[in-house]
Amino acid sequence: MNVVRKVITGRPGVVIILTTAFLTSVYIADWNRAIPRSSGLSGIYEILKGFSQPDFSQEFLIVAVQATWTTITFGTSAIFLALVIAIPVSFLASGTLFRSFVVRITSVSVVRMFLALVRSIHELIWAWILAILFGFSPMSGVLALAIPYGAILARVFADFLNDVPQPPLRALQSSGASNIQTLLYGRFPSAYKDMLSYGFYRFECCLRSAAVLSFIGLQGIGYQIEVSMQDLQFGQVWVLIYFLIALIVSVDWWGSKLRRSLAE
Amino acid sequence: MMYTKIFSWPFCSFLLFCFLALTSWTIVLKDSDLLEFFSGGSLNGVLDNFRHIYNSQISGQSDPAFLSFESWYRAVFLSFRTLLVSILAIGLAGFVALLTFASGSRNLAMEGNSPIRRPFSSLIFYLLRALYTVTRSVPELIWAMLIVFTMQAGIVAGALALAIHNFGILGRLCSEVVENMDQRAIRSLRSSGASSAQVVLYGVFPDVLPQLLTYILYRWEVVIRTTVVVGFIAAEGLGRQLRLSMSWFHYDEVIVLLTCYVALVIMVDIVSGFLRKMAA
């Protein structure tokens, strides 16, 4: 009996549950619709042909560089705003500012619940909502990225602030530091490296999300991909995808360099 | 001394990031009409819509969607379809990633511990890593656009788009777990004469499984959020209905759908957290 319980509640149980869920979904899915469109085979042929003959003409390269720059612009301004939002909110969500237990618990649970709610909505749904409310301006796009990313960053930063080693904090407190001073001189300095490297990882994600802001009609790599696809110019689509890959890979490389130098 | 300190990586990165952020903000502020933004473009239209719904309910013409049982029932059904897409997607991605991660980790592929022979194993290693990078760099939505171009929209098309992107992410995470694991288990199995397939099965897999499960569950939480957006394009579940309701300006329906969406996401977060605790 004990063995059975161990298997069910432990790791094998998880594997069994996940496999069952997956197989059930495979069974329910409408595989009869998973067929190529009537034009599908020629579509695949067109896509592959574009892959072998990317359009590296000068005019299009200029378009692609501009689209990439627009995407960088949206992504960077959004993650910057997200950081500006996240750092003060993470102080609140970590609950280290208040000494009274009741105030701390209420503020932490209220802020964290709010963050969970904001986080649960995808950035493109935010984009759609903001575009309906405030019009289709770049500002809506930037806010749409900054709001959910700010919530994610705030929650993770709060966890980092909570998980710092305790001895330096106790030393500060026993020498009479206030809560804010302990936070700024004790917790923040021990957590900021983790915060930086996580923030950088999110920067990469944010650029990827910024690429699909074409969803609400904003310019960028996704927009150009859509335009080229409507013209059936798959050579151009592949060039844009290469630019996107190059952008993500170089930010990834920058981040790993940064992480390594921070770890030293 | 001073020289290397000032031009260190973190400092230069900080400067470059600040430069990028400032330039970007200048461009964004220049391009968007802030006056129009804060006067709330079509905010009035949305409010009018709700006023209209409220009036029509007062005069007994029709119930708004969030008061009718039928629209909730339909939204829950659509949520179920969305959940199905997300499970199918993460299952496909996880399955293929689990099949390939051993050949995609440097320590197994390069030191002759891969089931495949030496020159081929390093070739496959580089190919797989390139594949992970390509699939990871392109967002789900762009994969969805490409897939819908060739395939009928539906559950499978949406799941495929999500699976391709997450395969890249999971594959890379899993290979990195193997590269960072304790190498002594591999060496000791090796020296007691285990074949490379046995090394992977008995040395690597049991050691990294908890981490892989954690990553798969964590990505599932991300996938459920994205499934709705992919549904916009791949015409499936909540996403499709959300798009239709939005383009018909049925904001009462939008509220029902968004509530179901948030509830679904929070539910998946809870289930995934529970399973992760079980797996740990």
Side-chain angles (χ1 to χ4, degrees), chain A residues 222-234:
Chain A
Y223 181 80
Q224 288 302 333
I225 288 181
E226 244 177 273
V227 169
S228 299
M229 250 168 71
Q230 273 158 15
D231 296 345
L232 301 182
Q233 295 284 345
F234 285 98

Side-chain angles (χ1 to χ4, degrees), chain A residues 8-9 11 33 35-37 73 77 119-120 122 124 128 132-134 204 208 215 229 249 252 254, chain B residues 13 24-25 37 42-43 133 136 141 145 148 150-153 155 172 225 229 232 246 261 278-279:
Chain A
I8 290 174
T9 56
R11 216 164 288 149
R33 290 190 67 179
I35 44 168
R37 290 172 181 282
T73 320
S77 36
R119 245 179 329 129
S120 67
H122 191 266
L124 291 180
W128 194 280
I132 286 174
L133 294 180
F134 297 113
E204 186 194 320
R208 219 181 294 136
F215 204 62
M229 250 168 71
V249 168
D252 189 25
W254 183 12
Chain B
S13 305
S24 309
W25 265 106
F37 182 79
S42 47
L43 189 59
T133 309
R136 183 173 62 93
L141 272 177
M145 283 183 213
V148 167
T150 58
M151 210 167 118
Q152 281 194 19
I155 288 186
R172 186 195 165 179
R225 290 168 167 80
V229 182
F232 270 60
M246 274 170 169
Y261 165 51
M278 256 170 87

Side-chain angles (χ1 to χ4, degrees), chain B residues 183-205:
Chain B
Q183 307 296 321
R184 283 174 301 187
I186 300 176
R187 254 178 273 140
S188 103
L189 270 173
R190 223 30 203 170
S191 60
S192 55
S195 74
S196 32
Q198 283 169 331
V199 168
V200 174
L201 266 180
Y202 298 109
V204 178
F205 208 67

Side-chain angles (χ1 to χ4, degrees), chain A residues 8-11 13-15 17-18 21-22 24-26 28-31 33-37 39-40 43-44 47 69 72-74 76-81 83 116-117 119-122 124-125 128-129 131-135 137-140 142-143 201-204 208 211-212 214-215 222 225-226 229 232 234 237 241 244-245 248-249 252-254 257-258 261-262, chain B residues 9-10 12-14 16-17 20-21 23-25 27-29 31-34 36-38 40-43 46 80-81 84 87-88 91-92 95 133-134 136-139 141-143 145-146 148-156 165 169 172 206 209-210 213 216-219 225-226 228-229 232-233 236 242-243 246-247 251 258 261-262 265-266 269 275 278-280:
Chain A
I8 290 174
T9 56
R11 216 164 288 149
V14 178
V15 175
I17 292 172
L18 291 183
F22 176 53
T24 319
S25 69
V26 169
I28 302 178
D30 46 359
W31 289 97
R33 290 190 67 179
I35 44 168
R37 290 172 181 282
S39 61
I44 294 172
I47 292 177
W69 172 241
I72 295 175
T73 320
F74 283 130
T76 319
S77 36
I79 200 73
F80 183 73
L81 184 59
L83 282 170
L117 197 69
R119 245 179 329 129
S120 67
I121 296 178
H122 191 266
L124 291 180
I125 307 265
W128 194 280
I129 295 172
I132 286 174
L133 294 180
F134 297 113
S137 75
M139 196 65 190
S140 322
V142 170
L143 276 184
Y201 160 68
R202 277 289 153 192
F203 180 36
E204 186 194 320
R208 219 181 294 136
V212 288
S214 62
F215 204 62
I225 288 181
E226 244 177 273
M229 250 168 71
L232 301 182
F234 285 98
V237 171
I241 289 180
L244 182 59
I245 292 171
I248 298 297
V249 168
D252 189 25
W253 176 80
W254 183 12
K257 263 302 213 208
L258 184 68
S261 65
L262 280 176
Chain B
W9 257 101
C12 287
S13 305
F14 180 71
L16 180 57
F17 181 75
L20 271 178
T23 333
S24 309
W25 265 106
I27 294 172
V28 167
L29 288 177
D31 286 353
S32 47
D33 192 346
L34 280 188
E36 197 198 310
F37 182 79
F38 284 111
S42 47
L43 189 59
V46 177
F80 177 71
R81 302 271 290 184
L84 197 71
I87 293 176
L88 193 60
L92 280 175
F95 182 65
T133 309
V134 170
R136 183 173 62 93
S137 304
V138 179
L141 272 177
I142 292 177
W143 286 123
M145 283 183 213
L146 285 171
V148 167
F149 184 76
T150 58
M151 210 167 118
Q152 281 194 19
I155 288 186
V156 179
H165 177 72
I169 293 180
R172 186 195 165 179
L209 186 66
L213 285 178
I216 288 176
L217 287 166
Y218 151 72
R219 281 313 296 181
R225 290 168 167 80
T226 324
V228 175
V229 182
F232 270 60
I233 289 178
E236 191 44 61
L242 204 57
R243 177 177 210 162
M246 274 170 169
S247 39
Y251 294 120
L258 277 183
Y261 165 51
V262 172
V265 168
I266 290 176
D269 279 6
L275 286 177
M278 256 170 87

